[in-house]
Amino acid sequence: MTGALLCLDSGTTSVKAAAFDGHGRLLAGAERANGALYRDGLRVEQDMDLTRAEALAVLRDCVAQLPGDVAGLIVTGQGDGLWPVDGTGQPVGRALTWLDGRARGLAANMAPALDAVQAATGSRPTAASASLQLLWLQQNDPARHARIAHALRLKEWLFLSLTGRALAEPTALLPVWGDWR
């Protein structure tokens, strides 16, 4: 492989980028605290625009340390949560992170139905799942819910931000929606 492999991880506490050569040797790195996270009781949200800006900043900082080209980019981030966008790909409010607890009551009250979902799909939605967070929004903020065209996770939001395309790998959908087949 010619050029560096650039890796981005947008985590709950920090945003990190690292570059590796074709032999797996670390060539460069950059990190900053996650400044986009907001906590207020059960509400744990993240500013989607600031999340994108922080990710781009650590990527720029990392690439600035490289002597050559970048061959590819790997993106990862917080697992569950709801990163809602409208039909034009713009955020519909703040993201509900995997730490957001507003859907906990739904998860507890829906236990028998969730047992059936798990039996059918092999996966059980939790309060951190986009599916239950969407249901919470539908019941508690229907106007916001109506504006959502795509329910993304963080890494899909970053992919959309970098490419303009809303895509996800099928296996990433398993914890949220169940057996994707």
Side-chain angles (χ1 to χ4, degrees), residues 2 60 94 99 128 148 154 168-169 173:
T2 59
R60 275 192 302 275
R94 292 180 181 160
L99 293 169
I148 298 171
L154 174 52
E169 59 177 302
L173 302 177

Side-chain angles (χ1 to χ4, degrees), residues 9 11 13-17 30-35 50 53-58 60-61:
D9 176 35
T13 57
S14 67
V15 183
K16 305 161 283 293
E31 182 175 357
R32 65 175 52 200
N34 180 348
L50 184 53
E54 289 179 340
L56 293 174
V58 296
R60 275 192 302 275
D61 292 348

Side-chain angles (χ1 to χ4, degrees), residues 26-69:
L26 180 65
L27 300 173
E31 182 175 357
R32 65 175 52 200
N34 180 348
L37 199 63
Y38 297 90
R39 294 174 185 257
D40 182 18
L42 293 176
R43 183 182 303 256
V44 184
E45 300 175 325
Q46 197 156 324
D47 182 298
M48 293 173 66
D49 291 323
L50 184 53
T51 297
R52 174 182 47 219
E54 289 179 340
L56 293 174
V58 296
L59 286 172
R60 275 192 302 275
D61 292 348
C62 189
V63 169
Q65 302 169 44
L66 294 175
D69 294 332

Side-chain angles (χ1 to χ4, degrees), residues 157-172:
W157 163 242
L158 292 173
F159 185 82
L160 174 64
S161 295
L162 292 166
T163 67
R165 297 172 62 200
L167 294 175
E169 59 177 302
T171 58

Side-chain angles (χ1 to χ4, degrees), residues 127-148:
S129 302
S131 49
L132 289 187
Q133 290 175 335
L134 279 167
L135 181 58
W136 186 91
L137 279 176
Q138 183 183 39
Q139 293 176 356
N140 295 278
D141 193 349
R144 180 178 177 198
H145 180 268
R147 295 179 23 234
I148 298 171

Side-chain angles (χ1 to χ4, degrees), residues 5 10 19 30 35 47 77 81 90 93 103 112 133 143 150 152 157 179:
L5 182 58
S10 187
D47 182 298
Q90 295 304 305
Q133 290 175 335
H150 301 285
L152 307 176
W157 163 242
D179 186 344

Side-chain angles (χ1 to χ4, degrees), residues 1-7 18-28 63 66-73:
M1 172 179 84
T2 59
L5 182 58
L6 191 58
C7 304
F20 299 90
D21 68 14
H23 300 288
R25 290 184 292 252
L26 180 65
L27 300 173
V63 169
L66 294 175
D69 294 332
V70 172
L73 173 64

